[in-house]
Amino acid sequence: MDIPRIVIAGTHSGVGKTLLSAAIMKGLVEHNINVQPFKVGPDYIDPGYHAEATGNISRNLDFWLVGESGIRELFVKSAAKADISVIEGVMGLFDGIGSSGEGSTAHIACLLDAPVILVADVRSMSRSAAAIILGYREFEPKVNLVGVILNRVGSKRHYSILKDAIESTTGVKVLGALEYDSQLELTERHLGLMPTKEKTDFPVLLEYLAKKISHNIDIKGIIQMAAMAPKIKPVKVEIFKSDKSGLSECKINLGLVLDDAFNFYYQDSLDYLAFLGARIIPCSALKGGLPANLDGLYIGGGFPEIFAAEISSNREFIMDIRERHKEGMPIYAECGGMMFLSQSITDFEGREYPMAGIIPAKTLMMKKRAGLGYVSAVTRKDNLLALTEQTLQGHEFHYSILEGINEDDYAFVLKKKEDNSSYDGYVKDNILASYLHLHFCGCREQGKRFITACKNYQINKRNNKSKDFTG
């Protein structure tokens, strides 16, 4: 199968990879090319920049969450519909899980047999840049490094020196460069870049950068390199294959809290829930109440601490959540969703805002990061997603903690790569909430159990029966 594709990688984090990737995507779109964007790793924010540039939903490719076969299937599923796929890497090219390189941009590039373009920050260096590029080319020969883009060059003369040194020493083509420009700095905060939903000036910035790209980066060369990617071998469909269980036939209405405060979701994960029979019904914690006739609710992560005042003042939504909880509707919440279900959120300035009050604990924002990285989560009791002692693979990234949860009500034991573990989350009756972020394409049985719980609630609600719908 012919699938033109290219990976945009970085020598390290902070080289301008996300902004350049979005600008290249925009440049390709302006050549009337249908671009399918992807992001390596569990990032929720960068895909928003891709979507703004291309008009297509960006997809995550994460080894820890979905495995190698899952990456291949999810990639082909979306890439086959586009003219070119652009895959933005994570961190530096070879940075993965621990020292093994698993899950790195290089790992995914080799897995998909995709050519790689490396972005390098070349401030305050000349010929030394060639040594860096040579090291990246030689470190893992299986990686097909076909081009380099130089960021933050000092002048045209600086660029000329760099280009000559790199191409003559490494044989890797320099595809262009951008000079340092203070207008090209993206706003960041505690979880990384500011989401595009809040950064209203990003379309203007993107247009500005796309013009610079058109004059300084060889877009046609990138198109040619993407077209040179080898054919992809047929992949075995495992995630979205027909299921004889008939689960996909039992339609349920699944509410999805989707707004500026809650928008950390993987699109393929939502697609899988829809494949299982969920009608995804968006709603907002910032304005209005819950839609009628929901059979379950999914509250993802996001920035409830930034929008705490607005969330707290939307009493209609809070009262609706409390009422549905009393009725026994299954509610699954991740990170920011769990924060919302707590009694209150105290923000970075020490201001406390009342929340839904369903979880008997208070959320406190911390000055230092409270959790980051891939984790294995072992369930402590039966719940909406899993049975006792089942292990789920996910990740966490948060600056908050919850104080006041009874030890018996913790949902998971989180086991981390540093060989330490801790309790996390809250489980009781029809509620499952934790700091754990999951991808249902990698936790398919858990997705099925959640949809089954929603179906049981739908049936029992219709028959006015028991509130225990976890199966």
Side-chain angles (χ1 to χ4, degrees), residues 223-243:
I223 295 171
Q224 292 170 355
M225 289 173 175
M228 288 166 53
K231 288 186 177 181
I232 284 189
K233 297 177 183 178
V235 299
K236 185 177 181 180
V237 177
E238 291 289 344
I239 300 171
F240 289 93
K241 70 178 180 180
S242 298
D243 190 338

Side-chain angles (χ1 to χ4, degrees), residues 20-238:
L20 273 167
S21 294
I24 289 169
M25 293 174 191
K26 181 70 172 177
L28 291 170
V29 169
E30 291 182 351
H31 279 72
N32 295 316
I33 292 172
N34 179 20
V35 179
Q36 175 56 55
F38 293 90
K39 172 67 182 181
V40 177
D43 192 289
Y44 290 109
I45 297 176
D46 292 358
Y49 289 84
H50 302 169
E52 184 68 39
T54 66
N56 291 326
I57 297 172
S58 187
R59 311 282 174 153
N60 291 75
L61 303 173
D62 190 283
F63 169 72
W64 177 260
L65 297 180
V66 301
E68 289 188 344
S69 61
I71 286 172
R72 290 192 188 97
E73 179 178 343
L74 296 178
F75 176 76
V76 170
K77 180 174 178 287
S78 294
K81 305 170 187 175
D83 299 322
I84 287 180
S85 292
V86 178
I87 306 162
E88 183 195 344
V90 61
M91 301 174 67
L93 175 59
F94 300 107
D95 299 324
I97 302 170
S99 61
S100 69
E102 286 187 329
S104 68
T105 303
H107 180 194
I108 306 307
C110 291
L111 184 64
L112 300 176
D113 212 354
V116 175
I117 295 172
L118 189 65
V119 178
D121 184 340
V122 294
R123 286 176 296 182
S124 305
M125 68 172 70
S126 57
R127 190 166 178 264
S128 296
I132 292 173
I133 303 306
L134 181 63
Y136 275 81
R137 194 197 72 181
E138 297 295 330
F139 184 76
E140 198 168 309
K142 290 182 180 180
V143 175
N144 184 17
L145 181 57
V146 296
V148 178
I149 294 174
L150 307 177
N151 197 18
R152 299 168 184 144
V153 302
S155 64
K156 290 182 178 179
R157 182 173 179 274
H158 185 208
Y159 171 65
S160 180
I161 293 170
L162 291 162
K163 186 175 187 296
D164 289 346
I166 291 170
E167 291 187 339
S168 64
T169 305
T170 70
V172 179
K173 182 176 177 59
V174 176
L175 292 163
L178 289 178
E179 295 185 8
Y180 174 76
D181 187 337
S182 61
Q183 295 186 60
L184 301 182
E185 300 296 325
L186 290 175
T187 307
E188 295 193 27
R189 61 180 178 217
H190 54 287
L191 294 185
L193 296 177
M194 181 179 289
T196 52
K197 283 178 173 289
E198 298 175 57
K199 192 169 176 55
T200 56
D201 63 339
F202 182 67
V204 176
L205 174 62
L206 187 59
E207 289 290 344
Y208 172 73
L209 183 55
K211 289 181 181 179
K212 291 180 75 72
I213 287 284
S214 66
H215 295 299
N216 296 285
I217 304 295
D218 185 3
I219 292 292
K220 290 184 178 179
I222 293 174
I223 295 171
Q224 292 170 355
M225 289 173 175
M228 288 166 53
K231 288 186 177 181
I232 284 189
K233 297 177 183 178
V235 299
K236 185 177 181 180
V237 177
E238 291 289 344

